[in-house]
Amino acid sequence: MSTLIETLEASLRDDGTEIRLSARVKELERLAVASPDARRPVETVSGTGTAGLADGSRTTGTSSEAGTAGLSGGAGAIGPAGVRGAEGAYRLRLADGATLDADAVLFALPAFATAPLLAPHSDVGALEAIRYVSVANVVFAYEDERKFNHKLDGSGFLVPHSEGRTITASTWTSSKWKHTAPEGKRLIRCYVGWAGDESGVELTDEEMSAAVKRDLRELMGLAAEPAFVEITRLRHSMPQYPVGHVDRIAAFRAGLAERLPGVLATGHAFGGVGLPDCVEQGREAAEQLLALRA
Ligand SMILES: Cc1cc2nc3c(=O)[nH]c(=O)nc-3n(C[C@H](O)[C@H](O)[C@H](O)COP(=O)(O)OP(=O)(O)OC[C@H]3O[C@@H](n4cnc5c(N)ncnc54)[C@H](O)[C@@H]3O)c2cc1C
C-alpha cells in the first residue's frame, strides 16, 4: 500500500469520510461542472436513475491503482447515467464494473500512471517530463558471526559514480536498525542502478550477486559468504525531477484546479520522494480534501 494512502486513510477515516482502497479506476467522468462550493448538490437530467450516497456522506475516490486506461468523457462531460440529488461531481468507473460517485478524487500514482489518465482533460506536460529510473535492491544476510570479518560500525556508505562500481550505496541494515536481524546475524542492503546507468538492474541474479559481492570485498574487505541473498528489481521507481519542476507542477495544479475542480494529484512525483516528504504530502492532500467539505 502506498505511503500516501496510509497517511490519507489515517487523516480522513476519523472524519467519517468513506475511502475505498485499491480501487482500480478505468475511467472518470465529470458529472457536472463542480462548484467551488462542494456542498452544492449535483443534479443532471441525462438519465432516469437516482443515484446517490444514502447517508449523504461524501466519498473521496482515492485512485491508487488506476491501471492503464485513460480518463474519458472529456472535461465537462455528463455521465450516461443520470444523477439526481447525488453530491458527487465525478463518477469513477472501476475495473470490476462498479461505479463510485465522488466529489473529490485524488490521484496518488507515479507520474507516468497519472499523466495518461488526466491528459484528455488538462496539460500533463509537467508529469510527462519526469523520468523514472529503475533500481535494484540486493540484500545479503549473514548467519555465522565468527566468519563475518567486519565490525559494521556505522550505517553504511555511498559510492560516487566516478568509482565505476556496480553498487551506488550500501546500508548496514542490522547496525542501523537493530531489530532487522536476530542477535549475532548481519544484514546488508546494496543498491544497483542510477540515472546515468541502469544496466546493472538487468544483470541476472547470479551476475548481480557476484558483482555486489566483489564491490563489498574490494570496498569493505568483506570476505564472508551470505547465507542467503534477496534481489528486488524496482523498475521505473525513482522519479528524476527536471529543472523547473516546481514551477511546472504549480502550473499543472493550477490547470487541474481550473478544469477538474476537486481532482487532486500528489505523491512522490510532486513534492519530494523521501518517506517524510510523502507523509507530509499525504497530510496536505487530506487537508485539501477536508477543506472541500467545509
Ligand atoms: C529502492 C527504493 C528505496 C527507497 N529508500 C528510501 C529510504 O530509505 N528512505 C526514504 O525516505 N524514502 C525511500 N524511498 C522513497 C520512498 O519509498 C517513495 O518515494 C515513497 O514510498 C513513494 O510513496 P507514494 O505514496 O508517493 O508512492 P508509492 O508508494 O509508489 O505508491 C504509488 C501507488 O501507485 C500504484 N501504481 C504504480 N503504477 C501504477 C499503474 N501503472 N497504474 C496504477 N497504479 C499504479 C502502486 O501500486 C502504488 O500503490 C525509496 C524508494 C525506492 C524505489
Side-chain angles (χ1 to χ4, degrees), residues 228-250:
F228 65 87
V229 179
E230 193 175 290
I231 295 177
T232 310
R233 292 176 182 78
L234 298 140
R235 292 198 169 80
H236 311 298
S237 58
M238 286 289 194
Q240 310 291 305
Y241 299 162
V243 173
H245 175 76
V246 172
D247 290 341
R248 293 193 74 180
I249 288 300

Side-chain angles (χ1 to χ4, degrees), residues 138-140 142 148 152 170-171 173 187-190 220 222:
V138 181
V139 175
F140 284 173
Y142 302 87
F148 195 87
L152 295 188
S170 176
T171 301
T173 311
L187 209 55
I188 292 181
R189 184 167 64 155
C190 295
M220 293 171 59
L222 186 62

Side-chain angles (χ1 to χ4, degrees), residues 14-266:
D14 287 348
D15 193 63
T17 298
E18 177 192 339
I19 296 186
R20 201 166 298 185
L21 296 173
S22 300
R24 195 174 180 84
V25 179
K26 281 178 65 180
E27 184 181 319
L28 179 145
E29 293 171 7
R30 188 171 173 186
L31 293 173
V33 176
S35 159
D37 176 4
R39 286 169 297 183
R40 194 181 68 177
V42 173
E43 293 192 21
T44 66
V45 291
S46 60
T48 55
T50 300
L53 304 172
D55 60 359
S57 66
R58 293 174 183 278
T59 299
T60 300
T62 303
S63 172
S64 66
E65 293 179 25
T68 53
L71 301 183
S72 69
I78 303 298
V83 176
R84 203 184 292 271
E87 297 199 26
Y90 299 96
R91 174 165 296 165
L92 295 119
R93 297 193 185 282
L94 310 183
D96 63 4
T99 59
L100 177 64
D101 289 352
D103 48 19
V105 182
L106 172 66
F107 287 88
L109 313 175
F112 57 78
T114 299
L117 292 166
L118 293 177
H121 304 271
S122 199
D123 179 1
V124 293
L127 303 186
E128 291 170 340
I130 301 170
R131 194 180 143 234
Y132 277 76
V133 168
S134 299
V135 297
N137 278 350
V138 181
V139 175
F140 284 173
Y142 302 87
E143 268 186 343
D144 191 344
E145 64 179 326
R146 289 165 306 173
K147 292 185 181 163
F148 195 87
N149 63 320
H150 196 284
K151 288 182 182 167
L152 295 188
D153 49 351
S155 58
F157 60 92
L158 299 172
V159 183
H161 302 316
S162 56
E163 292 278 327
R165 297 284 172 178
T166 299
I167 64 172
T168 57
S170 176
T171 301
W172 297 345
T173 311
S174 54
S175 292
K176 194 171 178 181
W177 298 290
K178 299 284 182 203
H179 66 279
T180 56
E183 189 65 32
K185 318 282 187 210
R186 308 280 189 275
L187 209 55
I188 292 181
R189 184 167 64 155
C190 295
Y191 308 88
V192 174
W194 58 286
D197 183 4
E198 299 166 69
S199 60
V201 179
E202 303 310 327
L203 294 172
T204 65
D205 285 3
E206 292 72 25
E207 290 168 340
M208 201 185 300
S209 180
V212 172
K213 264 188 226 169
R214 186 168 56 244
D215 280 353
L216 294 183
R217 189 171 57 246
E218 293 175 4
L219 295 170
M220 293 171 59
L222 186 62
E225 270 297 310
F228 65 87
V229 179
E230 193 175 290
I231 295 177
T232 310
R233 292 176 182 78
L234 298 140
R235 292 198 169 80
H236 311 298
S237 58
M238 286 289 194
Q240 310 291 305
Y241 299 162
V243 173
H245 175 76
V246 172
D247 290 341
R248 293 193 74 180
I249 288 300
F252 159 76
R253 283 186 162 147
L256 193 61
E258 190 185 329
R259 292 178 186 86
L260 296 176
V263 174
L264 310 174
T266 191

